Amino acid sequence: MTIEKTTTEVGGKSNKPKEQFVHSVFESIAGNYDLMNDILSFRRHKAWRKFAMKKMSMKHGDSAVDLCCGTCDWSIALAEASETGCVMGLDFSAGMLEVGRRKVEEHKLQNRISLVQGNAMELPFGDNTYDYATIGFGLRNVPDLVQVLNEMKRVVKPGGMIVCLELSKPMKQPFKGIYYFYFQRVLPLLGKLFAKSYEQYKWLPESLALFPDREQLATIFRETGLKRVESFPLTGGIAALHIGLKEN
């Protein structure tokens, strides 16, 4: 497994402060990220990822690029599902990648998973390279989600699949009210208790506030030219899976 560093810019635009802030958040919580994922999602993130893998139906030897791969849970699942295919994981946080590197080695997948530090807005990969491009719980954090989706579409082969697993917005009461109370009031307190990171986990609800809901994101998928777009609400709509295909 290789870890490379790719230096990219976001064009020096006004999104740069957000990018820097998000980077600082993930650098600071990297060591507690997996624990907090289990606590804050009641371990549902594992079931969501399993559902996504079932819908993807990877075949023996398929290749994948996993954007915002973080601590590499999805990268590892992709490598195990493809059995012999190569997986590239990309993240902008060196701290998250270091945690991921250790997990990849524990699973003895360092010969099939490579990790690169880089920018999802400007992927350092060639056109038509991978069978799948995935992004898990990262699309709401990027400065321009349309640009990221276009980059994902560029690097997959014709007929390749773009897959996004992300937090979403439940729409039905009373679950909606209960969820937002938990997400906005309780979640930051749990972050403070378990990870000593109140401000970082207070930011998570804010990152979702301006993010598209499930139907809106499906529309954006179609507007980027993806075909056969599907979206699936998960656990009452607190998360969603979106899938689209690159035209042959």
Side-chain angles (χ1 to χ4, degrees), residues 53-102:
M53 293 300 300
K54 182 178 179 180
K55 290 295 181 182
M56 290 168 65
S57 299
M58 291 186 78
K59 301 187 298 296
H60 181 89
D62 281 345
S63 61
V65 57
D66 184 24
L67 307 189
C68 304
C69 65
T71 60
C72 294
D73 282 345
W74 205 351
S75 302
I76 291 168
L78 293 165
E80 290 177 339
S82 71
E83 298 184 9
T84 59
C86 294
V87 175
M88 176 67 73
L90 177 141
D91 201 279
F92 67 168
S93 168
M96 298 284 278
L97 286 173
E98 179 57 27
V99 176
R101 180 189 63 79
R102 294 196 294 267

Side-chain angles (χ1 to χ4, degrees), residues 28-29 32 187-188 190-202:
S28 66
I29 67 175
N32 294 301
L187 183 150
L190 291 175
K192 181 179 181 179
L193 176 64
F194 289 99
K196 306 297 186 290
S197 302
Y198 178 80
E199 289 300 326
Q200 288 85 346
Y201 284 94
K202 182 175 181 293

Side-chain angles (χ1 to χ4, degrees), residues 12 20 119 141 156 198 206 215 225 245:
Q20 291 174 338
N119 192 330
N141 298 322
V156 298
Y198 178 80
E206 297 170 3
E215 293 297 334
L245 299 182

